[in-house]
Amino acid sequence: MTIGFTSRAAASSCALCTAGLLALAPAAATAGTGAEPGPPPGTGPRAGAPPASLLYRSGTHVRPRAGAPEVPELSAKSWLVADAGTGTVLAAHDAHRALPPASTLKTLFALTVLPVLPAGVRHRVSERELKGIGAGSSLVGVAEDRTYRVSDLWNGVFLSSGNDAVHVLAALSGGWRATAERMQAKARALGARDTRVKSPDGYDARGQVSSAFDLAVFGRAGLRNPEFARYCSRVEARFPGRDGGSYGIRNTNRLLTGADGVERYRGLVGVKNGYTSDAGHTLVAAARRDGRTLVVTVMHPRSGGAHAVYEEARSLLDWGFEAAGRVDPVGSLDALRTRPLAGQPAEPAAAPAARGARDRPGRAVPWTIAGAALLGGAGVALYMRLRWGPVPTD
């Protein structure tokens, strides 16, 4: 029996060779009546997966067994809670509703770009790379003519949601437009069919949308990437300053840090928060308890103020852990994928140091440089344009 509610509720080795050119190798019966919309043509569910079509219906969906807790009533336009290990969706509200994602889209950016930019590579930022940043963007403080490690820039992306850091990393990985195209292809490969990428940093752009379903897919996939999991769970880091020193930055995900009167959620392992005037407040959050990891998405709460996104995510996580074994799936995050997602969700990170051991200058970088002392942005961009004709599918 089902219940429906209305809308209320690389690192493979690389080499640089041949006359100064870079040659790098990334060595519930549900609410509503009438015909039910289904997934896009040609994207049916994998054999054995719960039907994705249930999540295309409007309203709230859950399949409780005897003794299951009640799903919380939330103000968000769209939300979803799923088991990150199995991909089963425990409950959802308007899961495929297309909405602006704000900086939660940076999860897809990281999934796309992290594998091709080793953390230890240094890069001197040019003025050109900082052009085009949207007015009112969140910034970490990247300065032109300053040299940064790629790991510094990722700290800026995950902790400060810095659009300036995204612009530099996108320039290093082939350019703004090429990065958006690869992000779009990555979303399709992961079975995220609602997402339209126009601005890789999540800044409001005409036609740019995602969904609670897609963002949960990205968060779940990210937790299987050790670098992604490490960055998204990091509370504090040091960021290089303009004067050669450094300053502290702190994660803006208040459910992770416990800042501004928001109680820290026990067992939280990330992932990413966001806000724009079009999107409102958005959040992808994951937590682990008793060997089980849940991922939730909350998009645009309509009441409760700026911190409502965290409290509604908290309610979903609490419900999901309590409902373990007491509800049947209403869908699957794997439903539109063509092959299973590899790896396992990350363990909760211990209190991280300001700079992780793998970020330090002495760590082995999976690129070797022969014939040049520095790896410049132009060289990487050239390589990426050559390398990413076909876009990676996983």
Side-chain angles (χ1 to χ4, degrees):
M1 178 177 181
T2 60
I3 294 178
F5 300 91
T6 63
S7 60
R8 158 81 179 119
S12 48
S13 62
C14 309
L16 177 77
C17 55
T18 69
L21 291 178
L22 295 177
L24 307 176
T30 56
T33 58
E36 175 188 336
T43 60
R46 294 187 299 111
S53 59
L54 185 61
L55 297 179
Y56 279 89
R57 299 179 182 178
S58 63
T60 301
H61 304 288
V62 61
R63 286 176 167 155
R65 301 177 190 170
E70 284 192 25
V71 175
E73 289 192 24
L74 307 179
S75 72
K77 290 183 177 181
S78 179
W79 56 261
L80 179 145
V81 54
D83 187 301
T86 64
T88 55
V89 179
L90 308 182
H93 176 82
D94 287 355
H96 287 284
R97 181 175 179 177
L99 294 167
S103 284
T104 53
L105 192 65
K106 289 182 172 76
T107 56
L108 177 60
F109 174 75
L111 285 171
T112 305
V113 176
L114 261 173
V116 298
L117 291 179
V121 169
R122 292 174 176 269
H123 172 66
R124 190 175 185 86
V125 173
S126 70
E127 179 182 4
R128 176 184 54 82
E129 291 168 337
L130 296 176
K131 288 186 178 298
I133 299 173
S137 287
S138 54
L139 305 172
V140 67
V142 177
E144 63 183 86
D145 295 326
R146 178 77 161 90
T147 297
Y148 300 87
R149 292 186 184 85
V150 165
S151 60
D152 295 324
L153 298 172
W154 282 119
N155 282 333
V157 171
F158 278 95
L159 277 68
S160 297
S161 205
N163 288 3
D164 46 357
V166 173
H167 273 253
V168 175
L169 289 166
L172 281 171
S173 61
W176 197 247
R177 181 176 297 180
T179 299
E181 291 172 353
R182 294 199 341 266
M183 288 171 64
Q184 190 70 71
K186 182 68 171 179
R188 294 297 178 271
L190 290 169
R193 306 297 169 128
D194 306 318
T195 299
R196 301 290 180 271
V197 181
K198 304 297 181 181
S199 183
D201 55 7
Y203 192 80
D204 289 334
R206 183 185 297 273
Q208 178 156 278
V209 294
S210 191
S211 68
F213 181 92
D214 285 13
L215 292 175
V217 167
F218 303 150
R220 180 188 179 218
L223 292 177
R224 285 163 164 73
N225 179 316
E227 280 192 295
F228 184 111
R230 181 164 51 92
Y231 286 121
C232 81
S233 65
R234 180 167 288 169
V235 173
E236 296 177 331
R238 302 294 298 178
F239 194 80
R242 295 172 181 265
D243 59 358
S246 66
Y247 52 89
I249 58 175
R250 187 171 177 84
N251 203 309
T252 58
N253 181 351
R254 292 164 179 82
L255 210 59
L256 178 68
T257 64
D260 298 331
V262 176
E263 182 182 353
R264 187 183 188 281
Y265 193 83
R266 179 170 62 88
L268 201 81
V269 292
V271 179
K272 188 73 188 76
N273 57 316
Y275 173 81
T276 66
S277 55
D278 286 352
H281 292 275
T282 59
L283 177 66
V284 182
R288 186 175 179 84
R289 290 184 185 174
D290 301 323
R292 187 164 183 255
T293 303
L294 297 181
V295 59
V296 305
T297 308
V298 178
M299 301 189 74
H300 202 152
R302 288 165 285 187
S303 65
H307 295 164
V309 71
Y310 300 110
E311 299 309 327
E312 295 196 5
R314 183 193 311 279
S315 296
L316 287 177
L317 288 168
D318 285 345
W319 177 85
F321 285 119
E322 186 180 354
R326 300 178 183 178
V327 296
D328 292 318
V330 296
S332 171
L333 297 181
D334 284 327
L336 302 180
R337 286 178 57 84
T338 56
R339 53 186 174 183
L341 190 64
Q344 294 296 323
E347 294 287 342
R355 182 183 298 279
R358 281 174 281 181
D359 292 342
R360 290 174 186 154
R363 86 172 182 90
V365 176
W367 296 7
T368 57
I369 299 179
L374 296 174
L375 182 61
V380 178
L382 171 63
Y383 163 69
M384 297 302 294
R385 284 193 294 271
L386 295 173
R387 172 66 179 87
W388 295 116
V391 181
T393 59
D394 198 26

